[in-house]
Structure formats: structure tokens, C-alpha cells
Amino acid sequence: MKKALLPLAAVAALGLAACSDKAQNETAEAAEAIGADANATMSEAADDVEAATDGALSTAENAADRAGAAIGEGADRVGNAADAAEDELDKNN
């Protein structure tokens, strides 16, 4: 009777070993999928940060351009006023 159980035990052990390999493969595949998802998420996050940074820099650049234009216009007005004042002084002298 003990001799009859030995082959059954061996077959059962091989079956468990096969399940164990399958379980290991499935676990490895799941880990790879999680890693791929994490990489994709990080890549998307990096792209989002880059896009937000580009947008912020573009907005700041536009604001600086507008400020520069306003300063230039103000300087032109001051220059025109100085020229007009000089012309008035020349008329009176």
C-alpha cells in the first residue's frame, strides 16, 4: 500500500511544482505590467509638467513683452513732450 502511494505523491508533487511555476510566471507578468504602468504614468506626468512649464514661461514672456512695449511707449511720450517743450522755449526766445 505504501508503494502505491509513492507514485501518487510524486505525481501530486509534480502538479504542485507546475502550479508553482505558473504562479511565479503570472506574478512576474503582473509585476512587469505594474512596472510598465508606472513608467507610462511617470512619462505622462513628465509631459504634463513640461507642458505646464512651457505654458507658464510663454505667459511670463508675453507679460514681459507687453511691459517692455508699455515702457517704450511711455519713453516715446516723454521724449515727445520734451521736444514740444523745447520747441516752445525756442519760440519764446
Side-chain angles (χ1 to χ4, degrees):
M1 185 88 171
K2 288 183 182 179
K3 289 184 182 182
L5 292 178
L6 188 59
L8 289 175
V11 169
L14 288 174
L16 288 175
C19 287
S20 179
D21 286 341
K22 183 178 178 185
Q24 288 176 355
N25 287 339
E26 289 176 355
T27 301
E29 289 173 3
E32 288 175 11
I34 290 169
D37 286 346
N39 285 338
T41 300
M42 290 301 293
S43 179
E44 289 176 17
D47 290 345
D48 290 346
V49 168
E50 183 177 358
T53 301
D54 288 346
L57 291 176
S58 179
T59 300
E61 182 180 8
N62 290 337
D65 288 344
R66 286 192 304 272
I71 290 169
E73 289 173 10
D76 288 343
R77 288 181 186 154
V78 168
N80 291 340
D83 288 343
E86 183 181 7
D87 290 343
E88 281 298 316
L89 290 174
D90 288 342
K91 285 182 195 178
N92 291 330
N93 288 333

